Amino acid sequence: MTAEATTRRNGAELFVRALENEGVRYIFAVPGEENLDLLEALRESSIELVLNRHEQAAGFMAATYGRLTGRVGVCLSTLGPGATNLVTAAAYAQLGGMPMMMISGQKPIKSSKQGLFQILDVVDLMRPLTKYTRQISNANTIPAKVREAFRLASEERPGAVHLELPEDIASEVAESDTHIFQPSDARRPTASTKSLDTACDMISKARYPLIMIGAGANRKRVSQALIHLVNVTGIPFFTTQMGKGVVDERHPRYLGNAALSAGDFVHCAIDHADLVINVGHDVVEKPPFFMHPGGKQVIHVNFSAADVDPVYFPQHEVVGDIANSVEYLAEKCGQCSSHDFSRFMEVKASVDSHMADKADDGRFPVIPQRIVNDVRQVMPDDGIIALDNGMYKLWFARNYPAYDNNTVLLDNALASMGAGLPSAMMAAMLYPHLKVMAVCGDGGFMMNSQELETAVRLKLNLVILIINDNAYGMIKWKQAQEGFQNFGLDYNNPDFVKYADAYGATGHRITRTEDLRPTLKNALTSGGVHLIDVPVDYSENRRVFDEELVNLTCNL
């Protein structure tokens, strides 16, 4: 019998040993009294406890850890209101395909402590938001439940899991023969040769094939395989918002990003295609294009079968490990003399010209194209930007070229406001040698702005760019689009420079457009936490999206 089996531990200690066994490095937490046994066990463990100022931010950081590393990120809350504050982060991880475990406390379940005070059925609450949710009712079952939760969180498609650890189970002494379960070595199945050969046949028979890269392709091995496929076949590609950077967007075959569902320049290429090879697409993303009965053919290449939807119903599916599938297609398909990419290259020239338009515009307040261009100019090739959700996300998805995978962190699944700052903080923690910038609207920033204190306390090197229009700008744009009067969406902001200074960060305010780029550059090189407040002129929303693109006829 091993020492691990003969050592008697309480439930909390056993839980922590199981987490260490899974390789957990951090737990992001807002603990409560029901977590105190677990907190004591963590005090003597190898796991670093990161104290957050709100459970939602703790969840966003854990989810982003999972997104960036492929390993399960872990967050911790108390019962009741602490657990409900994790709900948005659970949905963020589940829809975004990010492996994350939530641990919540609970009152004792074997005896009543305070009646029903703060008690909710958190397991039932989490059921529609997770792949797995359980209450632990016996300390001896902790290792098995932790192993199962990690297995499910990690396997394709990754997502959120939840375990509830009641106070009395955390203090309960487990039996001496309770074992810690080692992770198993599981390999993803490969697609059948028949389905791959059918895909090759469809590609060879197509005249105008096009590759689309989605969120599921954002894996290192898939990235390398896709570069090989594009180089070997010469087939042009475009990306969804969450597929940005999987292949370097300086590649001569990159056509653009489908930030909109229809009517953008890149849709001139999509509409021309007679076959789209969708690598890693997931219908949780806002549609990059709409399918129509009798329209173009679509091949679905993914870890799992497609969810059939009125706007997405692929005619053929290649289900299995994406990297292996793409490598097979690259080796088997090769170049086809019948393929004609001339129209796609015309679209690319128009896209490139459009993206360069007004990138150096000097008007003030600063227009979105200039903001995007200045950020790209100061960020190194491997620098990471983390976008919150707002109007600027469309501009960055379309206009900001990504050079590597996971260098543009945006959410096009739940698309929650408030995630940009915590996501950037996680990136800065993991990669202290890289330049990291959070790009937030004033509305989204304020939803988790208290985490400035966390960033300063952790001594992170982080730049936070606040795009300030004193309003919920994207909804104002939609309101105007639909012909409604401007109403109910404007507000006042604090003095962001003083706000940053109050937390021990360094605040900057842009008062001239020409100051933006040098201020960004100085903040990135100075170290520490910097907040930059830049006023934005969103009149370009109407000119580009409501006028230029509406009148686009694809007669480029």
Side-chain angles (χ1 to χ4, degrees), residues 10 56 60 78 87 90 130 136 177 223 251 273 284 294-295 316 319 366 379 415 480 489 526 544 553:
N10 67 24
Q56 187 186 93
F60 285 148
T78 187
V87 164
T130 60
I136 299 171
D177 60 348
S223 179
H251 195 287
V284 299
H316 181 64
V319 179
V366 192
M379 291 298 287
L489 297 169
S526 297
V544 172
T553 62

Side-chain angles (χ1 to χ4, degrees), residues 388-392 416-418 440-448 467-480 486-493 536 538 541:
D388 207 277
N389 273 279
M391 194 67 217
Y392 50 89
S416 171
M417 296 173 71
C440 306
D442 44 0
F445 171 75
M446 289 303 294
M447 291 186 182
N448 268 312
I467 299 174
N468 188 348
D469 67 338
N470 291 294
Y472 293 120
M474 175 172 270
I475 311 307
K476 283 191 73 170
W477 170 57
K478 293 283 188 180
Q479 190 178 55
N486 179 23
F487 174 74
L489 297 169
D490 296 291
Y491 49 70
N492 296 318
N493 281 310
V536 63
Y538 269 144
N541 295 344

Side-chain angles (χ1 to χ4, degrees), residues 6 109 145 222 224 234 268 283 371 393:
T6 57
I109 57 173
K145 282 187 166 60
V222 179
Q224 295 159 2
C268 295
V283 293
I371 294 174
K393 188 180 78 169

Side-chain angles (χ1 to χ4, degrees), residues 308-338:
V308 176
D309 187 89
V311 300
Y312 188 65
F313 43 92
Q315 290 86 352
H316 181 64
E317 299 189 37
V318 177
V319 179
D321 183 85
I322 296 178
N324 290 342
S325 297
V326 172
E327 278 292 351
Y328 185 98
L329 295 177
E331 295 296 334
K332 188 72 181 291
C333 296
Q335 287 192 342
C336 294
S337 58
S338 60

